[in-house]
Amino acid sequence: DAGVIQSPRHEVTEMGQEVTLRCKPISGHDYLFWYRQTMMRGLELLIYFNNNVPIDDSGMPEDRFSAKMPNASFSTLKIQPSEPRDSAVYFCASSQGTGAEQYFGPGTRLTVT
Amino acid sequence: SQQGEEDPQALSIQEGENATMNCSYKTSINNLQWYRQNSGRGLVHLILIRSNEREKHSGRLRVTLDTSKKSSSLLITASRAADTASYFCATGLIQGAQKLVFGQGTRLTINP
């Protein structure tokens, strides 16, 4: 298996622009997680899905952030409009079953200028 | 505040020595997991210990869990330069065990 795939790996954009991050989970996994990592705040869970349904989005910082999972093999995290404080590394992870280990993608490093 | 807090924040040892990292948490858990992150990379799962387990081994890794003290430790024996990374504990809560709460991590440096 190729593991969790994320794209793009790096994104540099200007403040106010829309940013879309993409994730392909491991086939057969029924949970998908979006995290954000910064030096100041560490690793934060933004939202997670179970069988394509959003279960907990309490970590989504603002209405500027939205996430979708149209099918079992694809998810997006969108920021519109982006702000410099959104600069971070965004990770997608997937897992199978409740209380299981999570498999992380390589991350997308987002820089908003 | 963080559910899991690692101690120390940074650790530097010589190759061949053992490295011990600790994690404390606040609320009851379903399981506790340890992850490693190399610089610029994603997290890699190392080991999972359930709340009814006290100790678990995987290769050079040994994890202990003391639910009465709400703490866990990760021991890496016979460290290697390749073990240089950040190590995170993550707690799976009883309600919503699939949701992990990560600590701030311990930065481990193995000096050759």
Side-chain angles (χ1 to χ4, degrees), chain A:
Chain A
D1 199 315
V4 175
I5 299 172
Q6 290 186 249
S7 65
R9 293 293 309 276
H10 302 272
E11 177 81 32
V12 180
T13 190
E14 292 184 347
M15 182 174 62
Q17 296 298 307
E18 177 180 295
V19 174
T20 299
L21 310 182
R22 298 172 176 79
C23 175
K24 176 179 168 55
I26 293 174
S27 176
H29 283 190
D30 55 350
Y31 284 93
L32 183 139
F33 306 82
W34 281 102
Y35 291 90
R36 178 173 68 177
Q37 186 177 38
T38 61
M39 288 294 291
M40 288 296 294
R41 300 176 67 89
L43 193 66
E44 303 173 280
L45 176 66
L46 300 177
I47 185 172
Y48 77 92
F49 296 82
N50 178 218
N51 291 323
N52 313 339
V53 176
I55 302 301
D56 185 343
D57 65 354
S58 60
M60 296 286 261
E62 300 170 33
D63 291 345
R64 298 183 296 106
F65 286 69
S66 63
K68 294 181 180 179
M69 191 164 186
N71 58 62
S73 59
F74 184 66
S75 177
T76 60
L77 178 68
K78 185 176 295 187
I79 308 173
Q80 165 63 14
S82 58
E83 296 182 3
R85 60 192 167 126
D86 301 331
S87 297
V89 180
Y90 291 81
F91 289 102
C92 175
S94 69
S95 69
Q96 184 173 38
T98 301
E101 61 267 32
Q102 295 182 14
Y103 293 81
F104 282 73
T108 294
R109 182 173 295 276
L110 174 65
T111 303
V112 183
T113 61

